[in-house]
């Protein structure tokens, strides 16, 4: 047996940014253009690879739509297994898309400030992609550390006093989370004797007594590390200040990093603590549900309380994470596909909004003002025969339309993907999977929180929009390079495409959700993947 070309693609999202980042370290910082194009070629290749993996997982190329790569040719669970299914493939595609937009945005300015921007950028992508692909908890820890170490450097890139303060807080919190991650992994290994996710899920029904208590303790400690990254209340207090301080391309990547924590929780909890987990079945789901609901309320209150646009985006990201955590904790299979659709749209819109904020700041005549674009549109004179108005500059119109698109998706207003996602969530909540099941009070509370968070987003966005685009004063159209406008337009066009193609996208995500709720196929697929015979074995084989 030999590996087909398609299985080698599973390693490419990890190896390609690793090789590219290493190569870029050796290039002098004065060669900005060469470094940018090498980095861009890597990101475009990652994008093409992710598209190919989405196709392969959904076309029957691999058994059960799951591709497995055994690193160093060691069979699971003794070696490290990388696994890609429909969910991992679409998350790789989302990460590559946001990375392409952030990198293109950084071309004019941010990649030229400081040193090793492109290398850190590639190493961050390596960590994110590895977290999506790995099926081993210790290897997940390694990829988390690669991702976090790169994010430390990127957050401080082009540093100032505000960025330095936020960076020190971010680093300190994540170092503590990494320590908890390692402690949790050690406790799980001590109780279960394995860190392979499929093997752990297979062994869990037979673990009882003190070993089960120890395993649950380890998982709870491990969950804290994930929930810090997912910004669940009260662990997400660091996020608004970090988002506000980060440079725009880095802030866009931080939006993606927040979703990595939610992805890992979704992956681990639905695989390990499924209905087939015996005494541990359903462990922690209520905490995720209640914590997610509290996070929604905290994020909504934060959006209403803040007037700083960077912090506003941070609290919007907290609301998004809260909805995802509540969806996971609710424990209803039909809810997951709508939650994944919401994840795609909200992540794209928040990344676009983080890039947009810097362009809006350029309109302001003074940084001390509240980013106010002063405009006298439609200032009609008293003579009715000859109405005269002040024309809106093209740059201002582009920013205004982009802001409106971001606001519609973030607030969940029609007609864009945010509204479709919330409609899907409400439909699933009001139609439980279990026969003859009734809608519980918790369901109504969750729906109310989602609606209220949408209202809070509308109020906060309108307040910011009015102060920015409708205040009295003189217009100062900013300079908008194509390389900075195009990434925002790309992300918003994708939000529109999600809306227009909602049916096939939701169908794909429903298949991904169905796979997540069949843990047995993951266990069989990963543990039964054969190693590739050596040359001598292949010759001796009949």
């Amino acid at each position: 047996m030999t590996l087909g070309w398609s299985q080698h693609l599973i390693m490419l999202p990890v190896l390609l940014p690793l090789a590219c980042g290493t190569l870029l370290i050796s290039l002098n910082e004065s060669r900005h253009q060469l470094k940018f194009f090498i980095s861009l070629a890597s990101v475009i290749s990652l994008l093409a690879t992710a598209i190919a993996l989405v196709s392969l997982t959904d076309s029957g190329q691999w058994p059960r739509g799951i591709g497995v790569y055994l690193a160093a040719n060691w069979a699971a669970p003794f070696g490290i297994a990388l696994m890609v299914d429909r969910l991992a493939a679409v998350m790789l595609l989302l990460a590559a898309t946001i990375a392409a937009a952030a990198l293109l945005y950084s071309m004019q300015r941010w990649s030229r400030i400081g040193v090793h921007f492109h290398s850190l950028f590639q190493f961050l992508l390596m960590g994110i992609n590895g977290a999506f692909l790995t099926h081993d908890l210790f290897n997940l820890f390694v990829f988390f550390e690669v991702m976090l170490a790169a994010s430390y450097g990127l957050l401080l890139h082009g540093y100032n006093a505000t960025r330095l303060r936020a960076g020190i807080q971010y680093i300190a919190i994540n170092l503590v989370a990494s320590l908890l991650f390692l402690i949790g992994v050690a406790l799980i290994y001590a109780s279960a004797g394995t860190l392979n996710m499929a093997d752990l899920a297979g062994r869990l029904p037979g673990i009882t007594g003190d070993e089960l208590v120890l395993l649950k303790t380890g998982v709870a400690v491990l969950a804290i590390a994930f929930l810090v990254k997912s910004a669940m209340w009260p662990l997400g207090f660091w996020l608004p200040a970090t988002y506000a301080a980060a440079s725009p391309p880095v802030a866009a990547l931080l939006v993606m990093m927040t979703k990595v924590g939610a992805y890992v929780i979704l992956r681990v909890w639905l695989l390990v603590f499924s209905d087939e987990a015996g005494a541990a079945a359903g462990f922690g789901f209520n905490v995720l549900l209640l914590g997610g609901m509290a996070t929604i309320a905290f994020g909504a209150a934060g959006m209403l309380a803040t007037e700083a646009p960077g912090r506003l985006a941070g609290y919007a990201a907290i609301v998004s994470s809260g909805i995802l955590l509540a969806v996971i904790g609710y424990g209803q299979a039909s809810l997951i596909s709508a939650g994944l659709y919401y994840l795609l749209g909200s992540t794209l819109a928040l990344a676009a909004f983080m890039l947009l904020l810097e362009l809006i700041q350029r309109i302001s005549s003074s940084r001390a003002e509240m980013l106010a674009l002063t405009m006298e549109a439609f200032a009609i004179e008293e003579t009715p025969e000859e109405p005269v108005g002040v024309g809106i500059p093209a740059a201002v119109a582009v920013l205004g339309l982009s802001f409106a698109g971001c606001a519609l998706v973030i607030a969940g207003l029609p007609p864009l993907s945010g509204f479709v996602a919330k409609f899907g969530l409400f439909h699933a909540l009001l139609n439980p999977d279990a026969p003859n099941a009734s809608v519980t009070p918790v369901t109504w509370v969750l729906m109310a929180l989602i609606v209220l968070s949408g209202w809070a987003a509308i109020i906060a966005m309108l307040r910011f929009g009015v102060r920015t685009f409708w205040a009295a004063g003189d217009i100062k159209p900013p300079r908008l390079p194509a390389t900075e406008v195009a990434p925002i337009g790309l992300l918003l066009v994708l939000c529109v495409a999600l809306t227009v193609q909602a049916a096939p996208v939701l169908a794909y995500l429903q298949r991904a959700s169905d796979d997540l709720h069949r843990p047995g196929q993951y266990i069989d697929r990963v543990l039964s993947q054969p190693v590739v015979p050596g040359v001598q074995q292949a010759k001796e084989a009949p």
Side-chain angles (χ1 to χ4, degrees):
M1 176 184 176
T2 58
L3 281 179
W5 66 269
S6 59
Q7 280 185 284
H8 290 289
L9 285 179
I10 300 174
M11 283 293 295
L12 201 56
V14 175
L15 292 181
L16 186 59
L18 172 61
C20 182
T22 304
L23 171 63
L24 291 171
I25 291 176
S26 63
L27 295 179
N28 191 281
E29 289 298 327
S30 63
R31 307 176 72 177
H32 295 295
Q33 193 170 23
L34 176 60
K35 298 186 77 167
F36 171 80
F37 282 112
I38 292 175
S39 187
L40 182 61
S42 172
V43 172
I44 292 174
S45 299
L46 289 176
L47 191 59
T49 302
I51 293 173
L53 290 174
V54 168
S55 177
L56 288 169
T57 55
D58 203 41
S59 62
Q61 177 74 22
W62 290 314
R64 304 183 184 92
I66 301 173
V68 180
Y69 190 98
L70 301 178
N73 203 31
W74 282 82
F78 305 107
I80 294 172
L82 299 180
M83 184 276 299
V84 61
D85 62 350
R86 291 181 178 91
L87 176 59
V90 78
M91 293 302 292
L92 288 172
L93 181 58
L94 179 63
T97 301
I98 292 178
L103 183 61
L104 186 59
Y105 185 94
S106 69
M107 176 183 177
Q108 288 284 344
R109 178 184 174 195
W110 289 104
S111 65
R112 300 169 182 265
I113 299 176
V115 296
H116 300 309
F117 174 87
H118 291 291
S119 294
L120 292 170
F121 191 95
Q122 294 295 324
F123 293 143
L124 177 63
L125 289 180
M126 173 195 169
I128 291 174
N129 293 341
F132 291 146
L133 291 171
T134 187
H135 210 61
D136 179 273
L137 289 176
F138 185 78
N139 201 33
L140 178 64
F141 170 77
V142 173
F143 282 123
F144 256 63
E145 290 309 295
V146 171
M147 176 181 69
L148 290 172
S151 71
Y152 300 155
L154 286 174
L155 182 60
L156 296 174
H157 188 78
Y159 68 90
N160 53 33
T162 302
R163 196 164 294 149
L164 189 60
R165 283 194 297 269
I168 291 174
Q169 174 185 265
Y170 174 79
I171 292 170
I173 291 169
N174 279 283
L175 286 176
V176 173
S178 297
L179 176 62
L180 293 175
F181 196 141
L182 198 58
I183 293 172
V185 165
L187 292 175
I188 292 172
Y189 188 77
S191 57
T194 184
L195 294 176
N196 181 280
M197 296 182 195
D199 193 36
L200 178 61
R203 295 188 186 192
L204 193 56
I207 299 177
T208 58
D210 293 341
E211 289 185 345
L212 182 59
V213 174
L214 184 62
L215 186 141
K216 288 183 176 180
T217 303
V219 170
V221 174
L222 189 68
I224 295 175
F226 296 152
L227 294 174
V228 167
K229 183 53 60 184
S230 302
M232 189 181 84
W233 183 86
L235 303 174
F237 63 90
W238 57 271
L239 190 146
T242 303
Y243 273 43
S247 64
V250 175
L253 290 174
L254 288 176
V255 172
M256 188 68 231
M257 287 178 61
T258 305
K259 300 304 181 288
V260 174
Y263 165 86
V264 173
I265 291 172
L266 177 65
R267 173 71 71 191
V268 172
W269 256 254
L270 293 187
L271 175 64
V272 177
F273 299 111
S274 66
D275 294 337
E276 303 172 12
F283 173 72
F285 279 90
N286 288 334
V287 174
L288 291 175
L289 175 59
L290 295 177
M293 293 166 65
T295 304
I296 297 171
F298 172 71
M303 283 193 290
L304 292 175
T306 188
E307 295 183 351
R311 296 181 68 88
L312 171 61
Y315 284 115
I318 288 176
V319 170
S320 174
S321 290
I323 292 176
L324 292 173
L325 293 173
V327 164
I328 298 169
Y330 195 84
Q332 182 173 310
S334 62
L335 196 59
I336 297 297
S337 59
L340 292 175
Y341 184 86
Y342 174 78
L343 181 152
L344 296 179
S346 64
T347 304
L348 291 171
L350 282 169
F353 189 53
M354 295 308 303
L355 298 179
L356 181 65
L357 287 179
E358 186 193 24
L359 303 187
I360 293 177
Q361 284 180 343
R362 296 178 189 174
I363 304 170
S364 172
S365 59
S366 171
R367 284 187 173 272
E369 299 174 358
M370 288 297 300
L371 306 177
L373 169 64
T374 58
M375 184 174 88
E376 296 178 356
F378 308 108
I380 308 301
E381 294 182 348
E382 295 183 0
T383 306
E385 291 78 13
E386 296 180 1
V388 177
V390 177
I392 302 177
V396 177
V398 169
L399 295 181
L401 289 174
S402 299
F403 172 77
C406 293
L408 287 174
V409 178
I410 293 172
L413 294 176
L416 295 182
S417 58
F419 174 76
V420 177
K422 289 187 177 181
F423 184 87
L425 291 173
F426 292 161
H427 180 270
L429 288 169
L430 294 175
N431 294 274
D433 292 343
N436 301 321
S438 59
V439 179
T440 64
V442 174
T443 304
W444 292 112
V445 173
L446 176 57
M447 292 177 61
L449 285 172
I450 294 175
V451 171
L452 290 174
S453 68
W455 286 349
I458 293 170
I459 295 170
M461 289 291 186
L462 279 177
R463 180 179 60 197
F464 174 69
V466 166
R467 290 179 175 178
T468 303
F469 295 100
W470 205 255
D474 298 325
I475 299 176
K476 293 190 177 180
R479 177 177 173 270
L480 300 181
T483 55
E484 294 180 344
V485 175
I488 299 170
L490 168 66
L491 296 176
L492 292 177
V493 166
L494 290 176
C495 290
V496 175
L498 278 179
T499 308
V500 175
Q501 297 296 321
V505 172
L506 282 168
Y508 177 91
L509 296 176
Q510 185 59 57
R511 292 191 291 274
S513 175
D514 293 341
D515 292 341
L516 289 172
H517 288 87
R518 288 193 287 262
Q521 72 179 13
Y522 281 98
I523 298 172
D524 294 340
R525 183 71 182 90
V526 174
L527 298 182
S528 64
Q529 177 70 18
V531 299
V532 179
V535 175
Q536 188 62 33
Q537 293 174 306
K539 290 180 179 178
E540 296 175 356

